[in-house]
Structure formats: structure tokens, C-alpha cells
Amino acid sequence: MKTLIYKLGIILFLFNALLVCAQNGGFTKKDLKSESFYNKIEETKSGNWKDVLTDYMQASFKGLTSENKSFQFKANIFSLRSKVDSTLLIDYNYTSKRETFYRNFQIQIGLNLDNDYKFKGFNYGFDWAIINKRDTTIASLAREEYESGKYFAKLSSALIFALQKYRNVATSENYQKIEKLAKASIEKQYYLPIDNLPEDFKKILLEEQDGVEAKQFLDTFQNELGRVKRRPLLTVGFHSNFQKDSKFLDEFDANLVYLQGLKSKKGSKLEIDFRNQFKAKDSITTSVIKRKEFSSQLGLNISIWETKERSIVELKPNFEYKRIVSGIMTDEKNDQFLANADLRIRILKNLWVPLILKYDIKNNNLFGFLNVSFNFDGMKKE
């Protein structure tokens, strides 16, 4: 027990060290603009989603209870580019469509460890989101292509008239602050979180002639936000392991992952999870691949406990089918059916502990894998 606590302490120390390095390149927001909008979207994403495609950077330990452990660090290309060009961290550059590919392409590097946490080899790979309709950092719901955009002009008009009245009752400092936010919202069509504005200004704003329809913007905005949460994600990926005595591509896998949100009457997050993987491995490290297998997995990720639309506990029951294409061993069957359950618990804001249970239906075998993952914030306040 003491050994386990000691190892977990080392893991948390490494996470904290990585957190400091990653946050040094985080996004700095000088005013509200779309920050609340961005954060709201990111907080409503499931832990299951973030394990598939990181928003910025993610560090994780896989298989802590198994003989084959690994440490992995994932980052999208945009986060690496921002280390070289700090101007990318400005919000209007971050939301530029030119950066779409870089935010949707992530690379992975890591270390493979044995049962005693000793170095065994490297792991590396990439994932590319071919479809990422939930990437709302490039979509402003104030624009005309969205239903809420029809009312945005009314909100802009109300802001202008409210500012004129607010000048007469507010201090010079407060007025200049609100004026700056309002103008940025109108000119660049950013979502301005009205609930975060001072009460005295909000009262004037909603009493304007166009303020009534401005309320409709807020209502339709929430409806649009609900639709955004259910948009699909489709990724393809390639990963490989490289050990001391192995040759290039002795062990690799190619995978396809599809996630699709579902509407729930109770408002909880439901997510269809469909995954396919082809894996090749040469166990005797020759140039000929000796074993090939295919697996397909279908499940439903359920947020069973939420706080302010943020998942705390998630459960993903799923069924998995495995087929050994070549390289079957003695007394081994070609097909394998598994009933699985993934349980994710959010310990801290960005720290998740996923427990994966796999049950072999035919052979009555139960396997368990404990992981730890930390998702770094893509944006931070000054």
C-alpha cells in the first residue's frame, strides 16, 4: 500500500511539473469577449471526448495496474505553434479558420514501462479529426448562419442605446470598461456574456426597446449551444511502439473513432462511442509481422453525475468484438467477445481517473486497467 501511495505521489508531481510548463503558453484574455463562451464549451465536453481529442495538451498514465504501463503526452499542433509564435494566443487568431487543421491534428509521444516502472521503450503516433463539428471556437453563434444570429442585431442596437444612458450614471472607469466590451462584441461578433456584466448596466440594457428581443438572443443562444454539444467527432489515428531490440513498425495500430452526442430529456450528456482498430505486432522482432488482429467496439458514454453542466462521474458500458486475422497461438480462439465498462471520475478540475473493466464472455475472465489523465487548459486569465 505504501508503495502504491509513493508511486501515485510521483505521478502527481510529474503532472504538476507538466502543468506549469503547459500553462506558461496558455491563452491570455484581456477582457471577456469570447472567453466565457470558450470555457463553457470546454467544460461541457465529456472526459471521454477529451481522451480522444485533446483541446490543447494532455498527459496520462495508462495501465497502472497492468504489467505493461505507459506514460503519454498529447498535444495538438496549434499548441506547439503557439510556443514559437505568441501572437497565435490572441483570441481572434486562435479562432481563425486558418488554425482549424492545427487544432484538429494531435501528436503523441511517451514512454513504455515494465511492472517496476523501469524504461522499456517509446510510444508515438498521431490522431486527426476529419470531422469536428463541435469545434465551436471557430463558430460564433452571433453570426447569421445560426438562429440566434437573427437577434444579434437587436442586441447590438440595445447595447448602443444602453451605453448612451450608462454614460450619465456610471463612473468614467466603469463606462470605459463596458464600452470596450460592447464595441468588441458588435464589431467582431463575439458572444458577450451579459450575465457577467454589472447589474446597473444590465438593467438599462434589457429595458431598451430592443432589449426584449435581446432576451430572445439569449434564449436561442442556449438552444444553439445544446445542438453544438451533440455534434459529431470522427478521428483517424496511427500509433506505434519502439523497443530496444525491435525494428521500425514491429508493433503498430491504426484506429477510427466516432463520437456523437444524443439529446436527453433530463439534460444529462449521452454520447455514442464507436471505435475500430487494426493492430499488428511482431513478437519475435523480425521484418515479418507475425500477428494481426481487428477489434470493433460500440458503447454509450453517460454522464451520471454533473455539476453546472460539468461531468463529475461518467460511465460507458460497451461491447467489443476481437478477431485474430493471423498469428493465432496454440489453444487460442480466433474470436473474442467482451462486455466492457469504463468508469471515469473527475478528481480535480482537469484531473480524471478512468477505470476500464473488460469481461471475456466466452472464457469468463475479468480484466481491469487503471489510468490517470490530466487535461491542460487552453486559455487562462491574466
Side-chain angles (χ1 to χ4, degrees):
M1 185 64 181
K2 290 183 179 179
T3 303
L4 177 60
I5 294 174
Y6 173 72
K7 291 176 178 178
L8 288 176
I10 295 176
I11 291 171
L12 290 175
F13 173 78
L14 290 173
F15 274 135
N16 287 331
L18 282 169
L19 178 60
V20 171
C21 295
Q23 284 188 336
N24 285 337
F27 298 97
T28 299
K29 305 292 294 181
K30 294 183 178 180
D31 52 52
L32 290 175
K33 283 190 179 177
S34 56
E35 178 189 11
S36 294
F37 177 46
Y38 173 89
N39 289 336
K40 188 175 183 63
I41 292 296
E42 298 313 310
E43 287 178 0
T44 57
K45 286 184 178 179
S46 65
N48 184 58
W49 177 290
K50 289 176 178 285
D51 278 351
V52 174
L53 184 68
T54 178
D55 300 312
Y56 189 63
M57 295 180 181
Q58 184 193 74
S60 60
F61 279 91
K62 305 288 186 180
L64 287 174
T65 55
S66 68
E67 294 183 359
N68 298 313
K69 304 171 177 60
S70 66
F71 169 77
Q72 296 176 356
F73 182 78
K74 295 190 294 188
N76 59 42
I77 296 181
F78 176 83
S79 66
L80 302 179
R81 278 165 50 84
S82 68
K83 296 290 185 180
V84 179
D85 184 3
S86 60
T87 62
L88 293 175
L89 304 180
I90 303 173
D91 60 344
Y92 56 77
N93 284 333
Y94 175 73
T95 57
S96 169
K97 290 186 178 181
R98 291 176 300 178
E99 302 300 327
T100 302
F101 172 78
Y102 300 117
R103 289 198 309 278
N104 288 323
F105 194 99
Q106 69 181 15
I107 58 175
Q108 169 198 308
I109 57 173
L111 304 174
N112 295 327
L113 310 171
D114 62 16
N115 200 36
D116 296 320
Y117 290 87
K118 293 181 179 179
F119 174 72
K120 212 169 116 176
F122 297 97
N123 60 76
Y124 59 92
F126 70 86
D127 295 282
W128 176 32
I130 301 175
I131 299 175
N132 185 7
K133 295 296 185 179
R134 208 185 297 189
D135 187 4
T136 52
T137 55
I138 62 168
S140 169
L141 295 185
R143 294 175 183 165
E144 292 183 358
E145 58 261 36
Y146 299 96
E147 183 181 352
S148 54
K150 298 175 183 178
Y151 301 100
F152 185 74
K154 297 292 185 181
L155 176 61
S156 300
S157 177
L159 280 171
I160 293 172
F161 286 108
L163 275 173
Q164 295 175 356
K165 290 186 177 181
Y166 192 61
R167 183 197 293 266
N168 299 325
V169 297
T171 64
S172 176
E173 182 181 355
N174 289 343
Y175 173 77
Q176 290 177 4
K177 180 180 179 181
I178 300 301
E179 182 187 37
K180 180 182 178 182
L181 296 176
K183 285 184 176 180
S185 173
I186 296 169
E187 292 173 4
K188 296 183 179 180
Q189 293 190 313
Y190 281 115
Y191 165 57
L192 181 64
I194 294 179
D195 289 341
N196 291 355
L197 295 173
E199 289 297 326
D200 55 349
F201 178 75
K202 185 165 64 172
K203 182 178 179 181
I204 295 174
L205 172 66
L206 298 179
E207 286 177 351
E208 285 301 314
Q209 182 178 355
D210 293 329
V212 176
E213 295 197 31
K215 291 180 181 179
Q216 289 181 290
F217 167 77
L218 300 178
D219 293 337
T220 55
F221 177 85
Q222 291 301 322
N223 292 334
E224 294 287 353
L225 202 58
R227 295 189 185 97
V228 164
K229 296 178 200 174
R230 298 190 293 273
R231 290 178 181 172
L233 173 71
L234 177 65
T235 68
V236 292
F238 176 86
H239 308 92
S240 180
N241 291 314
F242 186 79
Q243 300 185 27
K244 183 178 179 181
D245 299 322
S246 66
K247 296 181 180 180
F248 184 62
L249 295 183
D250 273 348
E251 182 178 352
F252 70 88
D253 68 78
N255 60 72
L256 180 146
V257 180
Y258 177 77
L259 302 181
Q260 172 74 63
L262 295 177
K263 190 173 183 178
S264 170
K265 292 182 179 179
K266 295 182 178 180
S268 59
K269 286 184 279 292
L270 302 177
E271 215 165 55
I272 295 175
D273 187 307
F274 180 54
R275 308 185 185 210
N276 293 279
Q277 183 184 67
F278 175 79
K279 185 183 292 186
K281 183 177 182 181
D282 179 9
S283 59
I284 59 175
T285 64
T286 65
S287 58
V288 180
I289 295 175
K290 296 298 182 181
R291 184 180 177 90
K292 299 176 183 177
E293 60 182 68
F294 170 80
S295 64
S296 185
Q297 186 176 346
L298 178 63
L300 180 66
N301 192 68
I302 308 168
S303 179
I304 58 178
W305 180 20
E306 297 180 355
T307 301
K308 295 181 179 179
E309 296 189 81
R310 179 189 297 175
S311 292
I312 304 298
V313 179
E314 296 176 8
L315 177 66
K316 184 177 71 175
N318 61 90
F319 291 95
E320 182 178 4
Y321 169 72
K322 287 187 176 182
R323 171 76 177 182
I324 300 175
V325 180
S326 64
I328 188 170
M329 294 183 286
T330 306
D331 299 328
E332 189 179 19
K333 297 181 180 179
N334 278 9
D335 302 310
Q336 187 178 22
F337 292 91
L338 300 170
N340 308 329
D342 297 7
L343 179 66
R344 282 181 176 79
I345 302 175
R346 189 194 293 260
I347 304 299
L348 300 172
K349 178 185 176 183
N350 294 319
L351 180 63
W352 289 84
V353 178
L355 173 63
I356 300 173
L357 299 176
K358 293 179 177 286
Y359 177 70
D360 186 342
I361 298 176
K362 285 187 176 181
N363 300 313
N364 295 323
N365 291 326
L366 180 66
F367 311 93
F369 306 92
L370 180 64
N371 303 329
V372 177
S373 62
F374 195 101
N375 298 284
F376 299 110
D377 283 329
M379 302 179 79
K380 70 183 184 70
K381 297 181 180 179
E382 285 186 312

